[in-house]
Each structure stands twice: as structure tokens, then as C-alpha cells.
Amino acid sequence: MQKTDLTPCDADFVSRLSDMLPDGCVRAPETRYLSEPRGRWDGLAGAVALPRNTDDVATILRACHTARVAVVPYGGGTGLVGGQITPDGPAPLLLSLERMTAIRAVHPSENVLVADAGAILTDVQSAAEANGRLFPLSLASEGSARIGGLLATNAGGVNVLRYGNARDLVLGLEAVMPDGSIWHGLKRLRKDNTGYDLRHLLLGSEGTLGVITAASLRLFPRNQSEGAAMLVVTSPKAALDLLALAQEQLSGMISGFELIGGMGLAFLAETMPQVRQPFARAPDWMVLLDLGAPAGVDLATLMERVLTDAMEHGLVTDGLIAQNAAQRAEFWRLRESIPEANRHIGAVSSHDISLPLSELPGFIDRAGPELARIGDFRINCFGHLGDGNLHYNVFPVPGRSRADHEHQRNAIKTCVHDLVHQMGGSVSAEHGIGRLKVADLERYGDPVKLAAMRAIKTALDPAGIMNPGAVLRRA
């Protein structure tokens, strides 16, 4: 807990800040800046700052540091744990990098792209593709999520199994520290063993230690052939055994391995019947296997062999191999529609968790009966099985709404998170801590780690102006 004595972003401060910046860089906050996707909180802000470049960001943070005005960095607003808004305390300045969208440089021979932090993820992907390269970070919000926010939250997505989390895709950063000083760390080096790595400290810090303004991003050769299959598995344990079998036969080519539960398919049928389902009878469990390979690899033959072997081992009972790019896209459309169907149903409590791979089947077997002691619920379990990340979401039964269970939400969350912790997992796999999971971090976090985090926060942000209340509790 960091004790802070902040002042509000009031009219006098806004006037002084406006005089330091070009016209139009400071304005009143619009409603879109003060809400978050799940509708859990309404935010507040005295003004929104819209810098054009890194020097503007430095000017803004110097002014806030001097006046002790809180700063809440704002990316695309797609975060699911409330890190981009503040619902209480003195009104902060909201800092949006939406004008800083440049692709500064592309170095195809180095497999590097340098982008401003306000660049939309799809624009970065397109710039890489135009240069014959792949930027593999991919997630449902990629049409609106911005690079700075994705790096500040260490976003995951569907390709982590092959390419890693967001932090694994960054070679260098440019950032403005809380006092307004600029860190010129925008290197394109694979090796730089020169002391503490400030890059990895800022990645995943959720705007609490500084503001990322640009990044050098890793690119990869584009896959020359791609394929996908929907495979019905007998259980989550069978899905893990299938993953091991596929990795033996398709080493280095598996881009995604997604577990899809029958409840998710039922929600799709109920709320989004236009999404075509691959099997006439929805299975209890199925896997989306996605592959990418260089030229000269016959993916179709390899996938058929995997399917045949999996059936012979009793892991898979049915399957469809995409015959073309359109069918592969249709498979992914189904997977990516599950969160939207969830929103239509209305979750009582949603959980972004990770576990050691071998513990996943046991967790799924145990969690349902544990929750049944609290009440009668439907559970939609799905997610990135290949990297141990499940989205384990609890819903009301038909005829009831999530409002009927609001009084049980904390008990449900505690039940799920306690079990995850007991089994050596994490209660935040890819969405971060934000404000939603501050108490969870305190409950399950290692005391030594928490003490170190608080010491780092105090050292880098002694005034406590950077996104107060996110990640670490404020006084």
C-alpha cells in the first residue's frame, strides 16, 4: 500500500496544462473514456490529454508530477480488469495516446517493427504483412486495442503457445517516467546484458510505473501454409494427451490449441444461431487445433495422420479438417464468438486463470462440485489449453439472471481462485490485475514479491501519481 496525497485535476490545473501544450491537446472527457467493457465501474477524470508525441507526454507527466495530479493511461479501453479507469479519489488526468499511431519503421531483414504506443494492433499486423512478415499477437479486441495498452498489460491471445505473451515480442521500449524524464530504450537488439531490464519491468506494469510511448516489436516469417481442425475429444485429459501427440508430430507448427466446452456451444446456439457449428450434435468437449508451416510442408497429410493416430489412441471420436482458408476462418469465428455469447447470457463471475498443464483436468473435475455447494450454476470452461490458460466462467441457470446471484459472486470467485492457488496456478493468466484483482493479489501473492513490488513503485513513482489504485492498493 502506497500512501499518497494527490490533488484533483481541476480547472486551474487544466488551464495551466493547456498553456504548456499545442491547441487541442487537452479537453473534457467524453463518456467513452469513463466506462469499461464489463460495466463494473464508471470512471472519473478532470480532463483528457491527447499528446501528439513523446515530448508532449513528457510535458504532461512533468506537470502532473509537480502538481501531484494522478494520471490514468488509456489505450483502447478494452481491458477487462478496470485498469483504464478510476472510480474514486481525486479526479485524475486521463492520458490517451490515440494520436500517436505511427509505424515508425519496419526492418524486414531484422524482423523488427517500431511503432508508437497508440498504434492499433491490426495496423501493426497489416504493416508487418505488407513487408512479408508476421506480428503474431492476436486477440478478439485487436481492431481497437492499442500497442501501449497491450504491452502494459502483457496481453496473451491465441498464439501464446507458439510465440509467447506480449512481453516475449518486445525488443525495446521508449517510455516516459513519472517525473517526465524520457527513457530512450528503443533498441532492436536480441542481446543486451547491461544490468537491470527496465523493459520487462514496464511490460505488465499496467501504467503504474510510467507510460510506454513506443516499442520495437519482433516479427516472424509468414506461414506459407496454414490449417486447422475441429476435433471432438473424450475429456480435457484426452485433449492434453492429444496436444502431446500433436507436438511430437507437428513440432514447431502448432500456433493454437483451444479447448471448447459444450456449454459454450449451447450458449452460441441460444444467442448467436447464425454462427455455424461444426457438428450436428454439440460435443461435451472439442479442440481447435491451428497450424502454420513454411513452404513445402504438406499440412493436410500431417493433420490427417494426427487425427488417425488420435482416434486409434481413443483420444478423438470425430473431427473435421479445414479444407480451405474460408473454413479455417469459420472455425476461428466460432471460437472467437464464445465471449460474445457469454456476454449475451450474463456471467455471475468470470475467471481468467492458468494452471500447470497436468493440473488442468483435475481442476475442471473438482471446481464444478465445489461450486455446486454454493448454488445451481452453468459453467462455461474454454480457453488456451496449450498454454494452460482457461476462461472459467459461471452463469445462472435458465430462468434466472446474474442479478439473482450478485450476493454470491464473491463466494464463487473465492471458491475458484482458492482452488487455483492450491493447485499451483495463477488467478490472472492474461488480463492483468487492474483494480478488479487487487485484493486477489494481496490474498494469493507471495509476500516477498509484493514487498518488492511496493518498493519499486515507491522508488520510481514516489508521488504516487501513476494509475493509483491499479495493481497495488492505495491508502
Side-chain angles (χ1 to χ4, degrees):
M1 183 182 295
Q2 183 182 33
K3 187 175 182 180
T4 59
D5 183 17
L6 300 175
T7 60
C9 177
D10 57 17
D12 288 342
F13 175 78
V14 171
S15 177
R16 295 197 305 273
L17 182 63
S18 298
D19 290 341
M20 300 176 191
L21 296 165
D23 290 344
C25 285
V26 183
R27 67 189 188 199
E30 302 169 28
T31 303
R32 65 186 175 96
Y33 294 114
L34 304 177
S35 61
E36 49 85 35
R38 288 182 175 169
R40 294 289 184 189
W41 301 285
D42 293 317
L44 54 91
V48 176
L50 299 153
R52 307 157 305 159
N53 52 46
T54 301
D55 287 339
D56 284 352
V57 177
T59 297
I60 291 164
L61 289 194
R62 277 195 299 271
C64 290
H65 185 265
T66 299
R68 301 183 73 88
V69 169
V71 179
V72 177
Y74 188 92
T78 60
L80 298 177
V81 291
Q84 71 272 45
I85 65 169
T86 183
D88 51 33
L93 177 74
L94 197 147
L95 177 60
S96 172
L97 301 190
E98 63 194 72
R99 289 180 174 174
M100 296 174 57
T101 61
I103 305 297
R104 296 191 186 181
V106 183
H107 304 274
S109 63
E110 299 179 15
N111 282 318
V112 178
L113 180 150
V114 183
D116 277 353
I120 298 290
L121 177 53
T122 50
D123 293 336
V124 173
Q125 294 168 340
S126 297
E129 185 174 355
N131 285 271
R133 296 294 184 267
L134 169 71
F135 182 62
L137 183 61
S138 180
L139 62 169
S141 61
E142 60 193 29
S144 54
R146 299 182 186 275
I147 287 296
L150 292 166
L151 301 186
T153 55
N154 187 30
V158 298
N159 290 325
V160 171
L161 175 63
R162 183 168 181 175
Y163 299 103
N165 288 297
R167 73 167 62 249
D168 300 306
L169 304 175
V170 179
L171 297 174
L173 292 176
E174 175 188 86
V176 180
M177 306 310 289
D179 64 357
S181 58
I182 301 173
W183 174 46
H184 300 283
L186 205 58
K187 296 183 178 182
R188 309 196 307 267
L189 304 176
R190 261 68 176 183
K191 290 184 175 181
D192 181 13
N193 198 8
T194 53
Y196 303 146
D197 196 332
L198 186 56
R199 167 189 50 156
H200 279 295
L201 191 59
L202 290 175
L203 292 167
S205 65
E206 302 189 44
T208 62
L209 301 178
V211 177
I212 295 170
T213 53
S216 296
L217 304 170
R218 294 179 63 198
L219 305 181
F220 295 82
R222 291 175 58 190
N223 293 312
Q224 297 303 305
S225 60
E226 295 176 318
M230 282 289 195
L231 306 174
V232 176
V233 292
T234 56
S235 66
K237 173 64 167 59
L240 281 179
D241 291 342
L242 171 62
L243 173 62
L245 186 153
Q247 286 175 321
E248 289 177 2
Q249 299 189 19
L250 303 167
S251 178
M253 291 185 281
I254 302 175
S255 299
F257 194 86
E258 300 287 305
L259 181 69
I260 299 171
M263 189 60 71
L265 300 177
F267 287 173
L268 279 174
E270 180 179 343
T271 65
M272 302 175 67
Q274 72 276 15
V275 177
R276 184 178 175 184
Q277 300 209 17
F279 302 103
R281 179 182 176 276
D284 290 335
W285 298 101
M286 68 182 188
V287 162
L288 169 55
L289 172 64
D290 193 74
L291 305 176
V297 176
D298 185 354
L299 275 184
T301 298
L302 290 175
M303 292 182 75
E304 287 174 3
R305 187 175 71 190
V306 169
L307 177 56
T308 299
D309 288 354
M311 285 183 164
E312 289 178 355
H313 285 83
L315 306 176
V316 171
T317 60
D318 199 358
L320 290 173
I321 297 175
Q323 299 302 302
N324 48 50
Q327 193 170 19
R328 175 173 175 262
E330 191 174 82
F331 289 172
W332 274 110
R333 184 186 176 213
L334 182 147
R335 163 61 182 86
E336 292 169 351
S337 296
I338 291 174
E340 185 177 350
N342 284 349
R343 285 190 288 273
H344 288 306
I345 298 292
V348 178
S349 186
S350 299
H351 313 97
D352 165 44
I353 59 175
S354 63
L355 291 130
L357 291 185
S358 62
E359 300 287 355
L360 284 164
F363 168 81
I364 293 171
D365 287 343
R366 291 177 60 185
E370 292 286 338
L371 287 169
R373 298 177 182 176
I374 298 173
D376 189 13
F377 306 109
R378 292 182 289 178
I379 296 168
N380 186 11
C381 175
F382 68 103
H384 321 303
L385 188 70
D387 53 62
N389 178 191
L390 291 180
H391 300 298
Y392 192 86
N393 301 337
V394 180
F395 296 83
V397 296
R400 307 200 73 183
S401 71
R402 76 178 189 179
D404 296 325
H405 298 282
E406 188 65 25
H407 65 290
Q408 297 172 309
R409 189 159 65 88
N410 285 337
I412 293 168
K413 183 184 75 168
T414 300
C415 174
V416 173
H417 286 178
D418 280 356
L419 183 57
V420 168
H421 183 65
Q422 291 168 19
M423 301 181 77
S426 169
V427 300
S428 179
E430 64 177 354
H431 292 161
I433 297 298
R435 290 172 175 80
L436 178 66
K437 295 186 177 181
V438 170
D440 291 316
L441 181 61
E442 294 170 345
R443 180 180 176 93
Y444 304 109
D446 180 87
V448 174
K449 175 183 176 179
L450 285 170
M453 289 173 63
R454 293 184 182 112
I456 291 167
K457 171 70 172 173
T458 299
L460 295 183
D461 182 23
I465 66 169
M466 296 307 305
N467 211 4
V471 183
L472 295 172
R473 188 182 303 277
R474 63 177 173 182

